[in-house]
Amino acid sequence: MSKTVLIVYAHPEPTSLTRSFVSETIKTLKEHGHSVLESDLYGMNWKATFDENDFPCRINKDRIDFIQESKNAYTHKRQTHDIELEQRKLLAADAVVFHFPLWWFGMPAIMKDWIDRVYAYGFAYGYKDEGNRYRYGDGIFKNKRALLSVMVGGPAEDYSPRGINGSLDELLFPITHGTLFFPGFDVLPTHAVYGTGRLKTVEAEKALAAWRSRLEHLFNEAAIPFRRQNSGDYINNILADHIRSKETGLAIHSDT
Amino acid sequence: MSKTVLIVYAHPEPTSLTRSFVSETIKTLKEHGHSVLESDLYGMNWKATFDENDFPCRINKDRIDFIQESKNAYTHKRQTHDIELEQRKLLAADAVVFHFPLWWFGMPAIMKDWIDRVYAYGFAYGYKDEGNRYRYGDGIFKNKRALLSVMVGGPAEDYSPRGINGSLDELLFPITHGTLFFPGFDVLPTHAVYGTGRLKTVEAEKALAAWRSRLEHLFNEAAIPFRRQNSGDYINNILADHIRSKETGLAIHSDT
């Protein structure tokens, strides 16, 4: 069945590995009959600072309170055009794929800012103006899927479960769990390519082929089994004592 | 003894809790005879996108490779003035304090971009052009201290060791370990204030007093015991088998 996929990407160089992955995504999805929406953050010259200019009709002109202004702007449809447009793309999408190089163990700032600005109060948090009632598996993006495609300069070993950088999945937890699962996405396991600085053409081709196979299962692959807030696993937002008793660490928030 | 402290902060509202903490930091440090340098990212209108404009003298005008251009710009002193100035402040500082509100489980984008842009190749990574030889406890910021002061909207329980968001220390690991310990800083335990949206005046005063006490020990408090790359704990960048055998998770990278 034909679906709509939003691709959000952050790399200004058309011949970069990140962008060759973006091209592959567009091509593969179209071949499968899906519709593609794009947010080329560098190409759009995305405004990369969340500030007062994002609230053209302030409720308080003397003092900026981001949550209050975000709530007001979103609720009364007084957001800037660029933010509103991205929200519409998100609502239209059945899945969202993020393509970015790992910079200092996270997203490039321009993509972090896309989250900061587009994720309005009432939309991605404070959904239905109900505080934290709808989050972690429940929220505006429920039944949509999200997937990170990350280009990593360093070797895979450094990001392995006992690697010196910390495991990639845990380094990206603030993104996968905190920005994607939080507003309701089903988050697929991150797709990473390592050692991107030293990749030969033949290796890049192999990496693209592996990515193509991943994409073919975008709508039937199993999501990361993050625990849903409203599943009973948490009591007052703390993991219930009987689940992985006495354990700590980010891994306890997945039901694996 | 008089020291120099750089304060990097990201909040545009002068009456915000973040900024009242910044004011307290400046006041307290000056009272103790220290010199204060400031990077007010919103106030400076910090350029929040890392792009081709950061390399005024490109080695390759046809294709942008961030690492190559960063290395060239840093090595041949062809960086932009704003980046160079921040690097000079970092070199002059004995300690760096970062003040920011937690937005989507990380730094505001403008501060992430300060890292992305200021942390040049040859400076914060690829130190002495020796690849990954100097990192995690060894690097340009060796013998300097760094400390995060974070304003968190949600309640402390949600960020506790079994809290639904994940523990704050682990959510911030990409910053404390990945961007501060990596280039050599001794990183102090993060100072967090929770529930900032609902803080009453008297609670804010108490929070400021607690912060003042922290600051008084800025130069003698014990750092987070992150394991040093070159200490023998890692073999080929993997934690040695005999250390916390078979355990995984970000906590294994601290010697606690």
Side-chain angles (χ1 to χ4, degrees), chain A residues 71-88:
Chain A
K71 176 179 172 176
N72 175 63
Y74 177 74
T75 310
H76 298 106
K77 301 189 191 304
R78 288 170 171 177
Q79 300 182 105
T80 58
H81 180 67
D82 60 344
I83 291 178
E84 206 186 296
L85 193 62
E86 295 307 302
Q87 292 173 347
R88 270 196 240 139

Side-chain angles (χ1 to χ4, degrees), chain A residues 220-234:
Chain A
N220 53 35
E221 198 186 350
I224 302 171
F226 285 136
R227 298 177 191 279
R228 297 180 52 235
Q229 167 173 285
N230 302 324
S231 64
D233 285 0
Y234 295 93

Side-chain angles (χ1 to χ4, degrees), chain B:
Chain B
M1 210 180 73
S2 173
K3 303 271 192 180
T4 298
V5 182
L6 169 61
I7 310 174
V8 184
Y9 55 99
H11 203 297
E13 172 52 49
T15 68
S16 63
L17 193 66
T18 303
R19 291 285 291 275
S20 69
F21 268 65
V22 171
S23 303
E24 192 67 41
T25 304
I26 296 170
K27 183 166 158 273
T28 305
L29 292 173
K30 287 189 174 170
E31 280 170 8
H32 285 74
H34 301 313
S35 301
V36 173
L37 301 171
E38 289 181 57
S39 293
D40 171 4
L41 302 183
Y42 276 91
M44 290 150 73
N45 200 16
W46 180 257
K47 174 178 177 289
T49 303
F50 189 27
D51 61 19
E52 59 187 26
N53 298 316
D54 294 315
F55 311 113
C57 307
R58 296 261 292 271
I59 44 170
N60 184 345
K61 288 194 178 155
D62 297 328
R63 182 178 193 282
I64 190 160
D65 177 318
F66 282 91
I67 297 177
Q68 289 307 317
E69 295 295 345
S70 173
K71 177 178 172 178
N72 175 62
Y74 177 74
T75 310
H76 299 105
K77 301 188 189 303
R78 286 168 173 178
Q79 300 182 105
T80 58
H81 181 65
D82 60 343
I83 291 178
E84 206 185 295
L85 192 61
E86 296 307 302
Q87 291 173 348
R88 269 195 242 141
K89 289 182 194 171
L90 278 163
L91 292 176
D94 299 298
V96 185
V97 181
F98 295 86
H99 287 278
F100 61 94
L102 192 72
W103 284 357
W104 293 103
F105 308 104
M107 288 173 162
I110 197 172
M111 187 175 270
K112 175 56 163 65
D113 181 74
W114 185 88
I115 299 286
D116 289 348
R117 293 181 62 228
V118 174
Y119 270 33
Y121 180 96
F123 182 71
Y125 68 113
Y127 185 51
K128 297 185 177 176
D129 202 13
E130 289 263 23
N132 284 330
R133 181 166 167 195
Y134 301 97
R135 63 173 184 176
Y136 294 121
D138 234 345
I140 198 162
F141 303 133
K142 198 168 165 68
N143 297 321
K144 299 178 188 290
R145 326 198 105 205
L147 168 56
L148 305 182
S149 166
V150 188
M151 301 295 137
V152 182
E157 297 73 36
D158 293 16
Y159 293 91
S160 64
R162 288 172 60 88
I164 191 165
N165 294 338
S167 78
L168 187 69
D169 285 341
E170 295 195 295
L171 293 167
L172 294 176
F173 183 92
I175 303 172
T176 52
H177 185 264
T179 70
L180 299 175
F181 186 59
F182 184 105
F185 281 110
D186 290 322
V187 188
L188 302 186
T190 294
H191 191 90
V193 180
Y194 295 95
T196 54
R198 286 161 296 282
L199 227 54
K200 298 188 184 106
T201 310
V202 57
E203 292 166 330
E205 288 299 330
K206 272 175 76 173
L208 280 165
W211 170 241
R212 198 159 43 235
S213 317
R214 268 303 294 276
L215 273 180
E216 281 164 5
H217 300 284
L218 180 59
F219 289 103
N220 53 37
E221 198 185 349
I224 302 171
F226 286 135
R227 298 177 190 279
R228 297 179 54 234
Q229 168 172 283
N230 302 325
S231 65
D233 285 358
Y234 296 93
I235 295 169
N236 295 327
N237 298 318
I238 309 281
L239 192 60
D241 285 345
H242 69 279
I243 298 175
R244 300 185 69 154
S245 294
K246 306 205 192 305
E247 281 184 61
T248 56
L250 301 177
I252 64 175
H253 301 289
S254 296
D255 184 12
T256 47

Side-chain angles (χ1 to χ4, degrees), chain A:
Chain A
M1 211 180 71
S2 173
K3 304 271 192 180
T4 299
V5 182
L6 170 61
I7 310 174
V8 184
Y9 55 100
H11 203 297
E13 172 54 47
T15 68
S16 63
L17 193 66
T18 303
R19 291 285 291 275
S20 70
F21 268 64
V22 170
S23 302
E24 192 67 42
T25 304
I26 296 170
K27 183 165 159 274
T28 305
L29 293 173
K30 287 189 173 169
E31 280 171 9
H32 285 73
H34 301 313
S35 302
V36 172
L37 300 171
E38 289 182 56
S39 294
D40 171 3
L41 301 183
Y42 276 91
M44 293 149 72
N45 200 14
W46 179 257
K47 174 178 176 290
T49 303
F50 189 26
D51 62 18
E52 59 188 25
N53 298 316
D54 294 315
F55 311 113
C57 307
R58 295 262 291 273
I59 45 169
N60 184 345
K61 287 193 178 155
D62 297 328
R63 182 177 194 283
I64 191 160
D65 177 318
F66 281 91
I67 298 177
Q68 290 307 318
E69 295 296 344
S70 173
K71 176 179 172 176
N72 175 63
Y74 177 74
T75 310
H76 298 106
K77 301 189 191 304
R78 288 170 171 177
Q79 300 182 105
T80 58
H81 180 67
D82 60 344
I83 291 178
E84 206 186 296
L85 193 62
E86 295 307 302
Q87 292 173 347
R88 270 196 240 139
K89 289 182 194 170
L90 278 163
L91 292 176
D94 299 298
V96 185
V97 181
F98 295 84
H99 287 278
F100 61 95
L102 193 72
W103 284 357
W104 293 103
F105 308 103
M107 290 174 161
I110 197 172
M111 186 174 271
K112 174 56 164 63
D113 181 74
W114 186 87
I115 299 286
D116 289 347
R117 293 181 62 226
V118 174
Y119 269 34
Y121 180 95
F123 182 71
Y125 69 113
Y127 184 51
K128 298 187 177 175
D129 203 13
E130 289 262 23
N132 284 332
R133 182 166 165 194
Y134 302 97
R135 62 173 184 177
Y136 295 121
D138 234 345
I140 198 161
F141 303 133
K142 198 169 165 68
N143 298 320
K144 298 178 188 290
R145 326 199 103 203
L147 169 56
L148 304 182
S149 167
V150 187
M151 300 297 137
V152 182
E157 298 72 38
D158 293 16
Y159 293 91
S160 64
R162 289 172 59 87
I164 192 165
N165 294 337
S167 78
L168 188 68
D169 285 341
E170 297 197 293
L171 293 168
L172 295 176
F173 183 92
I175 302 172
T176 52
H177 184 264
T179 70
L180 299 175
F181 186 59
F182 184 106
F185 282 110
D186 290 322
V187 187
L188 303 186
T190 294
H191 191 90
V193 180
Y194 295 95
T196 54
R198 286 162 296 280
L199 227 55
K200 297 187 186 108
T201 309
V202 58
E203 293 166 328
E205 288 299 331
K206 272 175 75 171
L208 280 165
W211 170 241
R212 197 158 46 236
S213 319
R214 268 302 295 274
L215 273 180
E216 281 163 6
H217 300 283
L218 181 59
F219 289 102
N220 53 35
E221 198 186 350
I224 302 171
F226 285 136
R227 298 177 191 279
R228 297 180 52 235
Q229 167 173 285
N230 302 324
S231 64
D233 285 0
Y234 295 93
I235 295 170
N236 296 325
N237 298 318
I238 308 282
L239 192 61
D241 285 345
H242 69 279
I243 299 174
R244 300 186 70 154
S245 295
K246 306 206 191 306
E247 281 184 61
T248 57
L250 302 177
I252 64 174
H253 301 289
S254 298
D255 185 13
T256 47

